[in-house]
Each structure stands twice: as structure tokens, then as C-alpha cells.
């Protein structure tokens, strides 16, 4: 597939478009979290649990990813467990640590919500040539690294 002609854009226009996308996603995550009876932080934490798959994360690793204290993570995990989203398992290498697994029924419920959205995004990617998708992937990956480094440098209070 050849790349389609695209209208020119400045860096400022691209930054504005990115800000609009982030804002739309933040609002969307808030609304989805409300529909499933969670708050955004709990839903984000559950997303990290899903992403880890069979490589179960510890409570401490989740706390680092969500940028909360281990005490706050205990509260998050309590809420997710009560709501039927996760189970806690003892770490086989260190019984003092807990690993977190997604419950299959919760995973299925979450997929019902997100799969139609990801199907639309996949259809959008189909409008781009493979080399354009490679550029988008590179940009998203690198922008995520910039954002994570910024959070670590400027927003961490510990």
C-alpha cells in the first residue's frame, strides 16, 4: 500500500491534535471507569494487570507503574478484589510478596468494552501504509518514554 497524500501540518498543529486526543481519552477513561464501578486509577491499575498477562506483577511493581505509594496500592487492590476484577496470589519466590492476577470474567467484561474501540483504531491504522504505521509506532513509543521520564523527574514526590 502506498502512503496517501496527507495535508501538511506544523509541529504546533500536531501537538494540539495530540492534546485533543489525550483529553478525549482522559474523559473516556473516566466515563468507562464510572460505568464499570471503578475510578480511573483503579481501572488504570487493572489495565497494567491485564498487560502483564501470565507474568504477574507484584503490588509494589503496580504501585510504581501507577505512581502511588504501596499503602495506596493496598487500597486499590482491595477495591479491585471486592469488585471482582483481580485475585491476589502469594509470590512463589517470596511468600511476603503478593502477585496480582486478572479474573477471567473481569477480563471478558473489559474486552466487551474495549474491543469495539480497538477495532475502530485498527481500521484507522489500515488507512496508513506500513512505513507510516512504523513512524506512528516509533513516535508513540518515544513520546511515552518522554512522558514517563518527565513524570519521574518533575512529578515524583518521594
Amino acid at each position: 500500500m502506498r502512503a496517501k497524500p496527507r495535508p501538511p501540518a506544523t509541529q504546533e498543529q500536531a501537538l494540539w491534535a495530540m492534546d485533543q486526543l489525550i483529553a478525549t481519552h482522559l474523559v473516556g477513561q473516566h466515563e468507562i471507569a464510572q460505568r464499570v464501578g471503578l475510578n480511573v486509577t483503579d481501572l488504570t491499575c487493572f489495565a497494567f494487570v491485564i498487560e502483564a498477562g501470565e507474568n504477574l506483577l507484584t503490588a509494589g511493581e503496580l504501585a510504581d507503574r501507577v505512581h502511588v505509594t504501596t499503602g495506596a496500592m493496598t487500597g486499590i487492590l482491595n477495591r479491585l478484589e471486592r469488585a471482582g476484577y483481580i485475585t491476589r496470589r502469594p509470590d512463589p519466590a517470596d511468600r511476603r510478596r503478593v502477585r496480582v492476577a486478572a479474573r477471567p470474567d473481569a477480563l471478558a467484561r473489559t474486552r466487551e468494552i474495549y474491543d469495539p474501540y480497538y477495532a475502530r483504531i485498527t481500521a484507522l491504522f489500515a488507512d496508513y501504509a506500513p512505513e507510516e504505521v512504523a513512524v506512528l509506532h516509533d513516535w508513540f513509543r518515544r513520546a511515552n518514554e518522554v512522558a514517563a521520564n518527565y513524570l519521574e523527574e518533575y512529578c515524583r514526590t518521594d
Side-chain angles (χ1 to χ4, degrees):
M1 166 193 229
R2 287 193 58 188
K4 293 182 179 182
R6 311 266 182 223
T10 65
Q11 289 180 5
E12 292 80 14
Q13 289 170 317
L15 184 61
W16 180 85
M18 181 191 72
D19 284 345
Q20 293 302 114
L21 175 63
I22 291 169
T24 300
H25 279 173
L26 287 171
V27 169
Q29 286 298 94
H30 177 74
E31 290 179 5
I32 288 169
Q34 283 185 319
R35 283 186 83 182
V36 299
L38 299 174
N39 65 49
V40 173
T41 302
D42 295 0
L43 183 61
T44 301
C45 183
F46 185 62
F48 285 126
V49 171
I50 292 171
E51 179 186 39
E54 296 299 316
N55 187 23
L56 304 182
L57 298 172
T58 66
E61 289 167 334
L62 282 168
D64 286 343
R65 290 186 185 193
V66 184
H67 290 256
V68 299
T69 65
T70 54
M73 182 52 60
T74 299
I76 291 169
L77 295 179
N78 287 344
R79 289 189 300 273
L80 286 171
E81 193 169 45
R82 274 194 310 271
Y85 282 85
I86 58 116
T87 60
R88 295 183 235 204
R89 300 180 184 165
D91 186 320
D94 182 351
R95 293 286 209 204
R96 295 169 296 175
R97 290 194 311 185
V98 171
R99 295 212 174 255
V100 183
R103 290 185 44 149
D105 56 325
L107 186 56
R109 288 192 315 265
T110 305
R111 285 198 168 131
E112 286 176 15
I113 296 166
Y114 285 100
D115 281 356
Y117 172 69
Y118 282 111
R120 291 177 185 191
I121 293 294
T122 299
L124 180 61
F125 276 127
D127 195 40
Y128 292 85
E131 22 331 310
E132 292 176 308
V133 173
V135 169
L136 290 168
H137 175 261
D138 178 66
W139 193 91
F140 286 132
R141 186 184 50 74
R142 291 173 59 203
N144 184 63
E145 189 175 308
V146 167
N149 289 339
Y150 179 81
L151 286 173
E152 190 64 35
E153 187 176 338
Y154 291 103
C155 298
R156 273 281 169 93
T157 57
D158 48 60

